[in-house]
Amino acid sequence: MTSTDRGWQMGSAGRMVLASVVLLAGCTTGSRPATPAGGTATTARAATGCASQIETGSLPDWADAGFSEAAPRIPHVFGANGDIVAVLFAHPLGYKRTDGSNNKILWVSRPATASPDPTASADLTITATLDGTDTQVTQTVTGGPGPSIVDMPAAGCWHLALTWSGRTDTMDLRYAAG
């Protein structure tokens, strides 16, 4: 057989597929843990997916104070318990923003139905874990839910555990690669 036989020719699409397979094969880590840029070892965990959905409908009445009539259709994500909403001024959220913008999130808490725990911190503590890993980041919004910049060290689905004033909720936020 010669290189001009149809069985030996590879078009650009075939070369692209082959290059992708070779690249992916070279990127596997086997049983070694990955090491993020910060130098912390990451161990593999079963990925659970990104459950929270980005809503584009109106914000609930308890979350729309200070917005004009047109603004309540801003992208937002509800906590699993419905006690907090993340209003996304950056959509999609980005792991590395190259356009000069930032990952601004306005956290709005549903009014409490009971008196807050006087010993609990009012600060909003965000403990985020990257799906499928042990990579964890903790950030604090001083004074409790309000405006913040929430950056993550990698792209992917981040599972957030949120605590403030003795209250808790969870949500997932996806950070894009660019």
Side-chain angles (χ1 to χ4, degrees):
M1 233 182 228
T2 68
S3 62
T4 59
D5 290 339
R6 191 109 172 105
W8 289 94
Q9 289 181 345
M10 185 180 297
S12 61
R15 285 191 296 273
M16 187 86 107
V17 170
L18 179 60
S20 297
V21 169
V22 171
L23 180 62
L24 286 173
C27 289
T28 59
T29 60
S31 61
R32 296 175 303 163
T35 303
T40 320
T42 304
T43 52
R45 240 183 230 244
T48 58
C50 220
S52 299
Q53 297 294 317
I54 295 176
E55 305 280 336
T56 55
S58 296
L59 289 169
D61 290 340
W62 55 266
D64 69 0
F67 286 101
S68 68
E69 289 183 33
R73 292 200 166 281
I74 192 166
H76 56 279
V77 177
F78 285 99
N81 298 333
D83 288 331
I84 197 163
V85 64
V87 181
L88 308 177
F89 288 92
H91 179 63
L93 296 169
Y95 149 62
K96 288 188 178 180
R97 300 199 75 84
T98 58
D99 61 0
S101 65
N102 54 39
N103 292 311
K104 182 176 180 181
I105 299 174
L106 174 62
W107 300 96
V108 183
S109 173
R110 178 188 293 272
T113 56
S115 296
D117 178 354
T119 62
S121 172
D123 294 344
L124 172 63
T125 301
I126 304 165
T127 304
T129 305
L130 180 60
D131 189 41
T133 74
D134 284 334
T135 301
Q136 196 170 74
V137 174
T138 300
Q139 294 186 15
T140 300
V141 179
T142 305
S148 66
I149 306 298
V150 180
D151 294 323
M152 294 296 158
C157 181
W158 288 86
H159 304 292
L160 279 61
L162 307 162
T163 60
W164 72 103
S165 300
R167 300 171 69 186
T168 62
D169 210 333
T170 61
M171 73 173 55
D172 297 338
L173 293 178
R174 180 165 298 285
Y175 280 73

